[in-house]
Amino acid sequence: MSLWEDFLDDVFGHPNKPGTVMICFVNRYLEGMDGIKYKIKYDSHEKSGVTSAENYCIELIPTSFNPIQTFVWSRQAKAYKKLDDVVAEPRRKKLVRKMLKTFKVPGRTDKLPNTQPNRRPDKPAPALPHGPSPTDPQGIKPDQTNNENGQPQAKPKRPVPEEITVGKLRKIFPKNHKGNSTDQHLQEVVDELNTDLPKYKLDTPVRQAHFFGQVKQEAGALLSGAAESLNYDAKGLKATFGSYYKNHPNEALQDGRSPTRKANQEAIANKVYGPPDSKHLGNTEPGDGWRFRGRGMKQITGRDNYDAFRTNHKELWGMSVDFVASPDKVSEMPYAVRSAVVF
């Protein structure tokens, strides 16, 4: 090898020659750790020793790219514990930090430091806001009182619920050209709900807003508990019940509404709500899809939900009504409102 090649090899390294490797033992704060008993095997060499605060890095000059094995002594296991292997890189130096999660446990002959080890300061707790306590999401205003020890204690105080009126419902269900619910129908809904607003969990403005928002989504502007309408055309069937009719486009044309005929709603209900694809609704018998289609102001659907409403109605109102045997009753007042309250 010429002098020029020797110079290039010293400066840039040989492409097939591994560079030096520096292995350092540090803690999670990247601080050097002392008292770590180690053993390193590479090529045909082996280095062992104990680190100190000044010398916690070991420099190696490997002659091959074989894995460099590193071991540290575990006092708990009373044996060496193997760490991840290290491989040298060609033509460049490599620094490897072996981060150890455990700290050195001082022995009987070790001198304990005079100062406590550095630790991160605890994060201060956020200061309490000034002024009165904010209103919680349910519209309940806390009433500041003291407990037996004289310490402040916030006790929730529910406001007296305001009754629901026809005027309030008319703002949610306004009259329009598509049809509207009559004042008499709205009054029937109001009378049923106002019988016990706390029991119905409609005793705050927030709860009422959530309830009527969902009811309007399900029952529409008419606030009707009538049975679900399935009078879709073929395009509407694919958009609404795509899991079935997108896979059966010919049946969508056959069952859907056309300019010359109405939709076959019973066939539609039995296909999209009936067995075997709707066992999660409890519909297991032929005809269950049509029999237990959506009814009530939240359009409860499925044999299981009708049966659950029968149980809940007995518990809350003390009356046993078999909605499974007579599912059309869910569309009638007051059951249309009560089914919405339960679900």
Side-chain angles (χ1 to χ4, degrees), residues 273 278-289 291-293 300-310 322-325 327 343:
Y273 294 144
S278 296
K279 290 184 178 180
H280 62 285
L281 296 174
N283 294 337
T284 57
E285 299 180 7
D288 277 358
R291 188 177 301 111
F292 300 108
R293 64 192 184 279
I300 64 172
T301 307
R303 178 186 288 269
D304 282 353
N305 287 329
Y306 278 71
D307 190 37
F309 181 37
R310 174 176 59 179
D322 193 349
F323 298 108
V324 175
F343 290 91

Side-chain angles (χ1 to χ4, degrees), residues 94-256:
K94 185 174 185 179
L95 174 63
V96 180
R97 295 185 178 94
K98 292 294 184 181
M99 188 178 299
L100 305 179
K101 296 182 180 179
T102 57
F103 294 90
K104 175 193 172 186
V105 180
R108 293 182 179 179
T109 59
D110 294 329
K111 293 183 179 180
L112 295 176
N114 295 327
T115 59
Q116 295 293 331
N118 295 331
R119 60 186 300 270
R120 292 184 177 180
D122 295 333
K123 186 177 180 181
L128 296 176
H130 297 285
S133 301
T135 302
D136 75 349
Q138 295 293 340
I140 301 172
K141 298 180 180 179
D143 181 21
Q144 191 73 23
T145 59
N146 295 333
N147 58 16
E148 297 178 355
N149 299 325
Q151 298 175 346
Q153 180 179 1
K155 292 184 178 180
K157 181 180 179 181
R158 290 187 179 275
V160 178
E162 296 183 2
E163 288 192 346
I164 301 171
T165 63
V166 174
K168 290 181 179 180
L169 290 189
R170 183 57 73 189
K171 293 180 180 179
I172 305 173
F173 304 94
K175 296 181 179 181
N176 55 63
H177 65 281
K178 295 182 179 180
N180 56 82
S181 54
T182 63
D183 289 344
Q184 180 181 356
H185 175 64
L186 293 183
Q187 188 64 54
E188 292 178 357
V189 175
V190 166
D191 292 341
E192 175 61 31
L193 293 177
N194 284 334
T195 55
D196 198 337
L197 290 175
K199 182 175 74 173
Y200 293 166
K201 298 188 184 300
L202 295 174
D203 50 348
T204 68
V206 175
R207 288 177 171 178
Q208 293 179 11
H210 281 287
F211 176 78
F212 287 113
Q214 187 175 0
V215 166
K216 187 172 184 179
Q217 179 68 25
E218 296 291 343
L222 294 178
L223 191 58
S224 171
E228 178 182 7
S229 174
L230 300 170
N231 190 27
Y232 296 98
D233 58 11
K235 184 178 180 180
L237 288 175
K238 294 178 183 178
T240 308
F241 305 108
S243 59
Y244 181 86
Y245 280 106
K246 282 185 178 180
N247 298 324
H248 304 84
N250 293 332
E251 294 184 31
L253 295 173
Q254 178 183 351
D255 299 338

Side-chain angles (χ1 to χ4, degrees), residues 25 33-35 38 50-58:
F25 298 96
M33 297 187 65
D34 66 321
Y38 66 88
V50 180
T51 63
S52 64
E54 294 79 16
N55 298 315
Y56 56 89
C57 293
I58 296 90

Side-chain angles (χ1 to χ4, degrees), residues 87 283 315:
V87 178
N283 294 337
E315 294 175 354

